[in-house]
Amino acid sequence: MTFFELMRRNAWRKRLRAILLMFSVGVAFLIYGLTASFVAGSQGAARASDNLLGVFNKSGRGLPLPLAYINRIAAEPDIAAVAYTARMRGFVEVEKNVVVVSAVEPQAIAAANGEELGLTPELTAALEEGGDRVLVGRALAEAQDWSIGQRIGFTGQLTRTDGSRNWSFTIAGIFEGADAGTDTYFMLARYDALNAARARDKDTVDAFVVRPRPGVSPGMLAARIDALFANSAAQTRTQSEKQFLEAFLRQFADVGLIVSLVVGAAFVTILMIAINTMLFAARERRFEIGVMKVLGFSSGRIMALVVGETLFIFVVGGAGGLVLAKLATLSIGPEFGLVFGATLLIQSFAIIAGLGLLTGLLPAVSAMRLPIVNAFRTR
């Protein structure tokens, strides 16, 4: 019998106990997988850029800025590209089906943010074909079951010059995003078409998107941009994409703290349960441990056997929880921004290994130090 086979048989000796312990470990890693997927996804700030800057109204992100600001921003020598966007929230078909449209100038947004969004020259050209054309993010297209060439109706928050709030677009293309963590749950429309059709706030934007030149400090550039408009009627606040997303999420709650507390509580609980269970299992087998020592098993080999049993339980239970977490992220849909990627998987198995070793250490040391005479007294 191999060492691994002996370890596996010992772990399965009390099947019900092993299954319940694996189930507890699986639940803990299911919680971890879902919460970490949220942080790693497009709704969190983990994948956000520190180099891409956003210029907003200092009095509030919902307030507009004059479009004319772009000339003064673009004149800064340390800026590689600058674009602008006007966001319009609305819904498709029913009010609960909320969708966001970002109105942009195609070539400008491609230069400033095209790499992150996955905007190819073909997609940019398709958006320029007509004022009613839009590019739809992959996540939004899959959630709505939309396809290229489809005509969609959109009820927006902006009122048109004719008094209605009904907008109609044709899907000219679908952009993929740079990776799975990129937010693609929105549409890109033509700013000139939206600006001409809306009844108020003409020639204004919600934000400017700035890409610094290589080697330029984003923080110093942000300060210089804000200084340009320090005495203007509409002052600005310039932040990196990561700072913006973190500040946005903090409006609702400290997501990082909540995730840490929930995951920490789950892991501490499972750690206490597992250590107590493995200590009890080691006490049950003191006679067997004594026999193995008589047969020539070294203290290190006995310690490795006990730790291996704990690792086996954690690996099986943790892997099950992670599989459920991955399936949950796929079934929930992209609109919630859950991303279960390779980095998260590696981190999860590192935690599984760490918890397994930590849990098995105390019972393993106890078994290693058990005198043979005391072991035989249990019979």
Side-chain angles (χ1 to χ4, degrees):
M1 180 181 292
T2 64
F3 181 81
F4 178 80
E5 182 66 17
L6 179 61
M7 176 193 70
R8 187 187 65 80
R9 286 178 177 272
N10 283 335
W12 279 110
R13 174 175 305 207
K14 301 285 186 179
R15 290 183 180 273
L16 180 59
R17 183 170 63 194
I19 290 172
L20 290 176
L21 189 55
M22 289 177 181
F23 176 78
S24 301
V25 173
V27 170
F29 277 93
L30 172 61
I31 295 172
Y32 172 74
L34 291 176
T35 52
S37 295
F38 173 77
V39 174
S42 59
Q43 298 301 317
R47 297 288 187 89
S49 172
D50 284 316
N51 294 322
L52 200 63
L53 299 177
V55 183
F56 307 94
N57 193 310
K58 186 177 181 180
S59 300
R61 294 188 183 91
L63 299 176
L65 290 170
L67 176 60
Y69 278 14
I70 192 170
N71 296 324
R72 297 174 66 182
I73 295 174
E76 280 290 314
D78 291 332
I79 292 178
V82 58
Y84 50 84
T85 176
R87 293 175 69 86
M88 176 172 59
R89 290 176 61 87
F91 63 89
V92 177
E93 295 180 356
V94 294
E95 291 188 12
K96 291 183 178 180
N97 192 10
V98 178
V99 175
V100 176
V101 175
S102 288
V104 298
E105 197 286 313
Q107 293 295 336
I109 197 65
N113 200 22
E115 182 180 348
E116 287 78 5
L117 295 177
L119 297 180
T120 63
E122 292 76 17
L123 288 174
T124 304
L127 183 58
E128 291 179 318
E129 288 179 359
D132 64 341
R133 297 292 195 268
V134 292
L135 299 180
V136 178
R138 172 61 63 185
L140 178 59
E142 291 180 353
Q144 303 291 341
D145 196 24
W146 288 344
S147 58
I148 297 175
Q150 184 175 342
R151 192 75 177 175
I152 55 175
F154 175 82
T155 303
Q157 68 187 52
L158 296 180
T159 304
R160 298 172 59 93
T161 53
D162 60 7
S164 73
R165 294 192 299 120
N166 297 321
W167 301 74
S168 183
F169 301 110
T170 299
I171 300 176
I174 297 175
F175 59 93
E176 305 285 345
D179 52 46
T182 305
D183 179 15
T184 56
Y185 199 81
F186 64 97
M187 292 187 286
L188 291 175
R190 290 268 299 271
Y191 175 83
D192 55 354
L194 182 143
N195 190 51
R198 61 179 171 177
R200 57 186 179 85
D201 292 335
K202 288 183 179 291
D203 298 326
T204 64
V205 298
D206 292 315
F208 295 95
V209 181
V210 176
R211 179 174 293 280
R213 292 189 183 278
V216 175
S217 169
M220 294 181 64
L221 180 59
R224 294 214 307 271
I225 292 173
D226 290 340
L228 293 174
F229 309 103
N231 298 317
S232 303
Q235 298 183 29
T236 62
R237 174 181 285 114
T238 304
Q239 296 175 306
S240 68
E241 183 186 20
K242 189 168 187 175
Q243 289 174 328
F244 168 74
L245 284 176
E246 288 175 344
F248 176 78
L249 290 172
R250 279 198 298 270
Q251 295 180 82
F252 306 97
D254 191 334
V255 176
L257 178 60
I258 291 174
V259 169
S260 298
L261 289 175
V262 171
V263 172
F267 283 160
V268 168
T269 301
I270 195 59
L271 196 62
M272 294 173 64
I273 294 173
I275 290 176
N276 182 66
T277 303
M278 295 308 296
L279 280 172
F280 183 74
R283 283 197 300 268
E284 282 183 336
R285 300 194 338 245
R286 287 197 296 177
F287 180 79
E288 295 175 16
I289 293 171
V291 171
M292 285 192 292
K293 289 188 175 184
V294 170
L295 293 176
F297 277 73
S298 65
S299 297
R301 193 171 179 82
I302 291 174
M303 185 177 182
L305 183 63
V306 176
V307 171
E309 293 174 27
T310 310
L311 275 174
F312 176 78
I313 290 173
F314 267 83
V315 168
V316 174
L322 293 175
V323 169
L324 291 176
K326 177 63 176 180
L327 293 175
T329 60
L330 295 175
S331 62
I332 287 174
E335 59 268 27
F336 287 91
L338 301 180
V339 176
F340 193 105
T343 302
L344 176 56
L345 186 63
I346 294 172
Q347 291 173 348
S348 299
F349 275 102
I351 294 174
I352 288 174
L355 288 177
L357 291 172
L358 186 61
T359 302
L361 187 61
L362 186 58
V365 170
S366 176
M368 182 181 67
R369 292 181 175 179
L370 178 66
I372 297 175
V373 175
N374 291 347
F376 288 148
R377 284 176 182 172
T378 59
R379 287 292 177 96

